[in-house]
Amino acid sequence: MKVTCADMMHVQNQKLLTRLGLVGLIPFFLMTLGCWVVHPDWLGYFIKAQLVYGIVILSFLGGLHWGVTIMARDDNDEQTRKALIWGVIPILIGWFSIGNMLIGFIVQVAGFIASYKIDKKLYEAYHMPDWFIRLRLQLTRVVVTTQILTFIAANVRN
């Protein structure tokens, strides 16, 4: 089988996207770890930082749909409307999470899980590669776990 330059670029992009996704998990890990080890006087800062980063990532996940929809060559107006509307929902979920720090984690965990489930359906409709959907699942699992552990630390250490 002949490997083309386009195939090589695809593999390189897949590796880069995977690495960037993993790097994007670092703040989640650091804030969770911080919530367990810092002096209780600093706990609020780590909780807030974790929530704010969650809002940023939820917003990013919503924005992906706008980008994919704009780039899609599909004339399915119904699918386009769904994708564009869904694109703003994670942002709103993130915004609702800032009202109360502790409840915010519950809202964000639900938001990340819902985002993955809806993304999976929409990404299949966009004909996104399977590796990307699998990567989204792996990243979502880690994010949800760190959010839950931060929520526990916030309740145990307060």
Side-chain angles (χ1 to χ4, degrees), residues 128-147:
M128 298 292 278
D130 289 339
W131 66 264
F132 185 72
I133 296 168
R134 286 191 306 272
L135 176 63
R136 275 283 285 117
L137 176 60
Q138 293 168 350
L139 296 173
T140 299
R141 285 177 174 162
V142 173
V143 169
V144 166
T145 300
T146 60
Q147 295 290 72

Side-chain angles (χ1 to χ4, degrees), residues 46-115:
F46 282 81
I47 292 168
K48 187 172 184 176
Q50 183 80 305
L51 283 171
V52 168
Y53 191 63
I55 292 167
V56 168
I57 298 302
L58 279 168
S59 298
F60 173 79
L61 292 174
L64 284 174
H65 288 281
W66 281 48
V68 171
T69 300
I70 290 168
M71 299 302 293
R73 293 186 172 92
D74 189 5
D75 291 333
N76 184 338
D77 290 336
E78 181 64 24
Q79 185 68 26
T80 298
R81 272 192 293 278
K82 285 180 185 178
L84 292 175
I85 290 169
W86 171 249
V88 298
I89 302 298
I91 298 163
L92 294 174
I93 291 169
W95 180 73
F96 282 116
S97 74
I98 61 174
N100 177 307
M101 282 193 205
L102 297 181
I103 293 173
F105 285 106
I106 296 168
V107 171
Q108 283 193 14
V109 165
F112 280 111
I113 292 169
S115 181

